[in-house]
Amino acid sequence: MRIRLGLVLLALSDFTAFAIDAPEFEWDVVSPTPYLQYHKCYETFMCARLQLPLDWLNDTDDRVVAIAVIKLAALVSEDHPSFGGSIFTNPGGPGGSGVDFMRQGGHLLRDLVDKPGERHYEIISFDPRGISNSWPVANCFPNSILNRDAFAFESRGNGGIEIGPAALSYAFALNDALSRRCEAVDHGANANVMAYMGTASVARDMVAMVDEVEKLRKRTVEHLDSSHLMDEKQYRLGLHDLNGANKDQIDLPRLQYIGFSYGTILGNYFASMFPGRVGRVVLDGVCNADDYANGPVSYPRYGSVFSETLAARQAY
């Protein structure tokens, strides 16, 4: 069973290599809302655009993002005894499209986690802020597809970093140039979204999505008022003490999650920032979260290019 699980998860993590045959969905015709409002999409899915703050740390900033959310409903109704709730998933990247991942592998993932007749789950994913169908889109080449393709081919032609110090230095130089270009265009229509695309912001978005899923479920299944939920801003900023008395007073919705590759970084961030909001988490293809967050202290072997690029990334 363990071997079968590993093979299926490996297949899911590499689904981006396959084409998508289902008809397209016009995301722009769906108005973003501060609550989940699903619309039928891609034949067998439901889609929504959830409006959230651009800057979670600034109450006076009224700028927003619209997160593209996609759901594959469970095989049973939400009030059925075997309904197991929602499982969120992220395909990795950073920058992988959860919408594309679900269209390609959502049904397989649901078949994997379900226990027919005993437990059935709905699967939810999303395009992280700045990515693909979410708005605004982080676009470092807004007016030139040719330049974008040229950068991609140049990066691929450089080969893997294991080739040697020269390839590593050149790769960092390329990414330094990309960072500078991205910084130069991150304004106006882009709403400076790149400055707010960090993993911590995406983790806060996930808390919001978990809460909105719960609110929608209470409205549709129990027809109850969700005003008893504590202030969203507090616990999305991690300001609420979930280890004290409040933990016994408030039953907060918890995340069920399967993350692949960079999705394991996101899962680790979420668990570290919101330990009281974690249900069950599966991390497959685990990345080094400490290295991702802090980076190496120095790599003098590869010269100043590495140091300058690292400094640029940390500042960015």
Side-chain angles (χ1 to χ4, degrees):
M1 176 64 183
R2 184 173 299 174
I3 294 176
R4 175 179 175 271
L5 175 62
L7 290 174
V8 173
L9 292 178
L10 178 62
L12 282 170
S13 65
D14 195 38
F15 254 114
T16 54
F18 298 92
I20 303 172
D21 296 327
E24 290 299 317
F25 176 69
E26 296 295 332
W27 285 91
D28 290 341
V29 303
V30 178
S31 297
T33 54
Y35 51 87
L36 283 174
Q37 186 173 22
Y38 283 112
H39 304 262
K40 186 175 178 58
C41 61
Y42 306 118
E43 294 185 341
T44 58
F45 296 92
M46 301 297 290
C47 294
R49 298 179 75 198
L50 182 61
Q51 180 177 297
L52 297 174
L54 174 69
D55 185 357
W56 280 107
L57 303 181
N58 186 354
D59 288 326
T60 65
D61 191 339
D62 60 359
R63 292 176 297 173
V64 297
V65 294
I67 306 299
V69 181
I70 184 168
K71 176 178 78 170
L72 179 62
L75 294 176
V76 297
S77 62
E78 295 183 5
D79 59 351
H80 193 275
S82 67
F83 180 67
S86 308
I87 295 178
F88 282 76
T89 185
N90 178 276
S97 168
V99 171
D100 289 347
F101 177 72
M102 283 285 285
R103 294 173 63 190
Q104 296 155 342
H107 289 84
L108 178 58
L109 183 58
R110 186 181 64 182
D111 291 344
L112 172 67
V113 299
D114 274 4
K115 294 185 67 176
E118 298 182 29
R119 189 66 63 190
H120 297 275
Y121 298 92
E122 67 178 15
I123 311 297
I124 296 177
S125 193
F126 59 98
D127 287 348
R129 51 175 55 210
I131 302 301
S132 195
N133 300 293
S134 289
W135 179 91
V137 176
N139 187 354
C140 299
F141 301 92
N143 301 310
S144 179
I145 297 177
L146 178 61
N147 286 344
R148 177 192 299 276
D149 290 345
F151 175 83
F153 284 122
E154 183 74 11
S155 298
R156 181 173 297 181
N158 184 51
I161 60 175
E162 73 280 357
I163 292 177
L168 180 62
S169 295
Y170 191 62
F172 276 112
L174 283 172
N175 282 279
D176 179 53
L178 178 64
S179 297
R180 295 175 187 276
R181 180 181 179 90
C182 293
E183 184 178 16
V185 302
D186 188 31
H187 58 80
N190 281 359
N192 300 104
V193 67
M194 294 184 208
Y196 303 95
M197 288 177 62
T199 305
S201 292
V202 179
R204 293 187 175 104
D205 291 345
M206 288 174 66
V207 176
M209 285 183 271
V210 170
D211 293 334
E212 292 305 323
V213 167
E214 180 70 9
K215 290 180 182 180
L216 178 60
R217 184 163 297 134
K218 288 184 179 297
R219 289 197 301 268
T220 57
V221 176
E222 302 176 12
H223 304 289
L224 294 179
D225 181 10
S226 60
S227 61
H228 68 282
L229 291 175
M230 61 182 290
D231 180 69
E232 288 91 342
K233 199 77 172 183
Q234 275 192 315
Y235 54 69
R236 289 170 197 164
L237 293 178
L239 301 178
H240 198 74
D241 180 15
L242 294 173
N243 297 314
N246 287 319
K247 181 177 179 181
D248 298 324
Q249 298 171 5
I250 301 175
D251 184 19
L252 298 175
R254 295 174 183 267
L255 174 74
Q256 297 187 120
Y257 176 75
I258 299 177
F260 304 95
S261 190
Y262 163 78
T264 69
I265 299 289
L266 181 57
N268 271 308
Y269 266 68
F270 187 99
S272 298
M273 295 171 65
F274 308 104
R277 306 302 302 274
V278 177
R280 295 178 176 178
V281 172
V282 175
L283 303 180
D284 180 72
V286 178
C287 300
N288 188 325
D290 180 70
D291 182 68
Y292 182 88
N294 301 311
V297 176
S298 64
Y299 275 87
R301 174 183 174 187
Y302 298 118
S304 61
V305 171
F306 187 99
S307 301
E308 292 174 1
T309 305
L310 178 60
R313 286 185 172 183
Q314 290 174 337
Y316 193 64

